Amino acid sequence: MPIGAAPESATRKRQGELGQFLTPLPIADFMASLFAQLPNVVRILDAGAGTGSLTSAFVSRLCKENEGVSAVEATLFEIDPLIQNALAEAMNDCQRVCAEAGIHFTFTIHAADFIQEMSARLADNLFGTKPPTFDAAIVNPPYHKIRMDSAERRSLRHVGVETSNLYAGFIALIQRLLVADGQLVGITPRSFCNGPYFRSFREDFLANLEIQRIHLFESRGAAFRGDNVLQENIIFHAIKGNKQPHELIISTSSGEHGDVVTEQVVPFAEVVHKNDPEKFIHIPSASGHATAKKAMDGLHTSLASLGLTVSTGPVVDFRLKDAIRWQPEKGTVPLLYPSHFNGGTVHWPKPDARKPNAILNNEETRRWLVRSGVYLLTKRFTSKEERRRLVACLFDPQDLDAEWIGFENHLNYYHANGHGLDRNLALGLFAFLNSTVVDQYFRRFSGHTQVNAADLRKLTYPDRKTLQAMGAEMKRLDEPQEKIDELVEKYLHARP
């Protein structure tokens, strides 16, 4: 068995609990290949080490390439007792392989919570014990949301880190432990690249780490195919410092062993836009993405300047379960889910659907309902199989005889200060959001199945006149994709 390989007996029952996804060997080997020149004695950190595949791959690379490294001091953190024996065995193998290559290898395994221990040391609260420093770090941190009142969240706040996910907390702490010009290679979800929840983390990341490369996989979940990972993952190589490069490498592969890696050099200004206060990280991965960016860069109309906003559906069904009805009855109004989308319009009710169709209309529920009108709806979550990340649907009050409507929390809805939209404006937005150019642009900064209302507010749009003109030409909502694209491209190319 290769050093660092996960044993068959390594249970996955606790993965959901720990957010732990073991790194496949081809991915580990690729990550190890990204390091630039290293010092003669390398102090390397592997936090959330699992069975040691990342450190093992790092050692294998060093021993094969033999580029002047004489000693490796490895520090590993792994909290799961079920795999610590496998980790120790892998490190003993690393010691043997290094000895054969003339490299002195030592290791220390900490069966401790990395976030709590390093946060305490960085805050200088652990009996004055100073934190260690490292020349390099290679990491596949755990992916798990952390609650506002959790011990991890409190520990991170002590060192000025605010984040809602373990992986971002790991990365923020690791960069604080690197020496100047120290290198970090990590594989994480792509979700930190956009959205309000990771804004603080992005600011911290970009202020302290100089991005050298970002690597994408051609399909969602390619890196962890057997683990049902819904988010897209990226690999990044960054150097500790506060001056971003003029250019960086964007590369792509399938994630399979021996697969061809394609690369392109991209200006950093195209990845993080200079005047973007949100610090979204745009990652072009296909030729169409560059075309999409060029088209969208010519748009300067904000949603607010259109007099519109987009909100998340206010009905959270489990909180209003006593008011939810599977079928319409007296005293109820329509309750709409993404399952009611069909061919660009709302099909309601759906008697055989797995979601309810109605909600009571009374004093208790009224504040969660929306007065009927023309609205544009989008799905907040799309499945891995769906062709488009952005899926928009028109709600037309002519289709449903109701004064009030319930929009469930898995929907976003465009509105004018809580009221319906001008019909042609809504149709123009329908065409725009369902176009390939907008979908490809959205994918530059969003790598997961969730479409947040904040992301939709962040987009720039055609002006009102253009949207209304586009809407006037929308004769059918079930137009084929090519027809929608032709319409949108016609008006985007016609801009002065």
Side-chain angles (χ1 to χ4, degrees):
M1 183 170 67
I3 61 172
E8 290 296 324
S9 60
T11 180
R12 296 185 180 183
K13 286 192 296 184
R14 301 180 64 206
Q15 284 186 345
E17 181 183 328
L18 298 175
Q20 175 192 73
F21 299 96
L22 304 181
T23 314
L25 294 182
I27 302 298
D29 186 60
F30 175 74
M31 291 173 66
S33 75
L34 300 182
F35 285 95
Q37 186 68 41
L38 292 160
N40 181 254
V41 177
V42 182
R43 296 164 297 172
I44 185 164
L45 171 65
D46 185 351
T51 56
S53 59
L54 289 176
T55 296
S56 299
F58 178 81
V59 162
S60 295
R61 281 276 174 173
L62 282 183
C63 293
K64 288 175 185 175
E65 295 171 2
N66 195 18
E67 295 182 347
V69 173
S70 62
V72 176
E73 300 171 3
T75 299
L76 306 99
F77 281 79
E78 179 49 57
I79 199 170
D80 186 356
L82 298 181
I83 57 177
Q84 282 167 1
N85 287 340
L87 176 58
E89 289 176 13
M91 292 306 99
N92 287 325
D93 286 343
C94 285
Q95 204 164 47
R96 174 183 53 78
V97 170
C98 280
E100 292 172 357
I103 297 174
H104 182 62
F105 181 86
T106 58
F107 67 92
T108 304
I109 297 174
H110 296 272
D113 186 307
F114 175 74
I115 283 182
Q116 297 203 40
E117 181 161 328
M118 286 300 108
S119 294
R121 289 199 185 190
L122 286 162
D124 202 19
N125 289 331
L126 192 63
F127 309 110
T129 304
K130 297 296 182 184
T133 55
F134 300 95
D135 308 294
I138 187 166
V139 62
N140 172 12
Y143 314 164
H144 203 286
K145 288 183 179 180
I146 46 180
R147 300 190 317 271
M148 290 288 289
D149 60 348
S150 66
E152 293 91 348
R153 201 76 172 254
R154 290 193 298 270
S155 295
L156 289 167
R157 286 191 185 118
H158 283 318
V159 289
V161 176
E162 188 60 59
T163 184
S164 58
N165 202 294
L166 283 176
Y167 83 83
F170 268 65
I171 297 300
L173 292 179
I174 289 169
Q175 68 87 358
R176 285 160 169 76
L177 300 173
L178 291 175
V179 299
D181 296 325
Q183 300 180 61
L184 168 58
V185 174
I187 180 168
T188 72
R190 188 178 166 178
S191 53
F192 76 88
C193 293
N194 69 299
Y197 298 119
F198 290 97
R199 178 178 175 177
S200 176
F201 172 73
R202 285 193 299 274
E203 291 174 342
D204 184 72
F205 184 97
L206 294 168
N208 295 286
L209 290 169
E210 301 169 4
I211 306 174
Q212 305 297 305
R213 178 198 283 255
I214 297 174
H215 183 81
L216 301 167
F217 298 98
E218 290 172 357
S219 66
R220 185 189 308 279
F224 302 102
R225 183 168 286 110
D227 292 319
N228 197 29
V229 174
L230 295 180
Q231 298 198 56
E232 288 183 20
N233 292 277
I234 62 172
I235 294 170
F236 61 84
H237 172 219
I239 293 175
K240 180 68 175 284
N242 57 13
K243 187 177 181 181
Q244 294 296 343
H246 293 298
E247 298 176 325
L248 70 154
I249 296 171
I250 305 291
S251 56
T252 308
S253 73
S254 71
E256 302 292 347
H257 181 68
D259 182 46
V260 174
V261 176
T262 60
E263 297 181 359
Q264 58 176 316
V265 177
V266 177
F268 181 80
E270 290 190 10
V271 175
V272 180
H273 300 169
K274 182 178 179 181
N275 297 317
D276 180 7
E278 299 291 333
K279 302 296 183 187
F280 278 16
I281 298 174
H282 300 247
I283 311 175
S285 59
S287 58
H289 289 194
T291 303
K293 179 183 182 298
K294 185 176 179 181
M296 294 293 289
D297 282 350
L299 301 178
H300 305 290
T301 304
S302 69
L303 204 55
S305 66
L306 288 169
L308 307 180
T309 191
V310 58
S311 301
T312 301
V315 176
V316 180
D317 54 11
F318 68 87
R319 291 178 182 162
L320 294 169
K321 59 183 179 181
D322 290 341
I324 303 296
R325 298 291 184 269
W326 281 95
Q327 301 302 332
E329 60 184 55
K330 186 177 180 180
T332 66
V333 296
L335 175 60
L336 302 183
Y337 286 80
S339 59
H340 291 106
F341 284 25
N342 191 318
T345 61
V346 168
H347 285 219
W348 182 94
K350 292 185 72 173
D352 56 347
R354 290 187 293 176
K355 294 293 183 180
N357 282 285
I359 182 171
L360 289 175
N361 177 16
N362 55 34
E363 290 183 6
E364 179 189 352
T365 63
R366 182 67 57 79
R367 63 184 177 135
W368 308 113
L369 304 179
V370 176
R371 190 173 289 278
S372 186
V374 175
Y375 295 98
L376 189 71
L377 313 178
T378 69
K379 293 184 179 182
R380 282 187 61 209
F381 298 90
T382 51
S383 69
K384 290 186 288 185
E385 294 75 25
E386 287 193 83
R387 195 162 37 92
R388 290 202 314 269
R389 187 70 47 80
L390 284 172
V391 179
C393 172
L394 188 77
F395 173 77
D396 191 333
Q398 295 178 10
D399 297 334
L400 295 179
D401 183 18
E403 184 181 358
W404 297 88
I405 304 294
F407 293 141
E408 196 270 335
N409 195 245
H410 286 76
L411 296 175
N412 297 309
Y413 68 106
Y414 284 77
H415 57 95
N417 195 26
H419 298 282
L421 309 177
D422 169 83
R423 183 177 175 80
N424 280 344
L425 182 66
L427 287 169
L429 281 169
F430 173 93
F432 179 70
L433 291 172
N434 281 322
S435 68
T436 299
V437 68
V438 174
D439 191 69
Q440 289 183 333
Y441 180 80
F442 192 83
R443 288 172 186 271
R444 288 175 59 97
F445 61 80
S446 178
H448 51 92
T449 57
Q450 187 166 349
V451 177
N452 297 308
D455 297 333
L456 297 172
R457 293 187 207 110
K458 178 70 181 172
L459 289 176
T460 51
Y461 294 81
D463 59 39
R464 177 178 285 268
K465 182 178 178 182
T466 301
L467 285 170
Q468 288 177 324
M470 287 168 51
E473 290 197 37
M474 281 292 299
K475 304 303 181 187
R476 295 171 45 197
L477 291 169
D478 59 349
E479 291 279 15
Q481 187 65 52
E482 37 297 4
K483 291 290 186 182
I484 292 175
D485 290 341
E486 286 173 10
L487 174 63
V488 172
E489 288 170 14
K490 167 186 167 182
Y491 279 94
L492 293 189
H493 290 154
R495 293 193 314 267

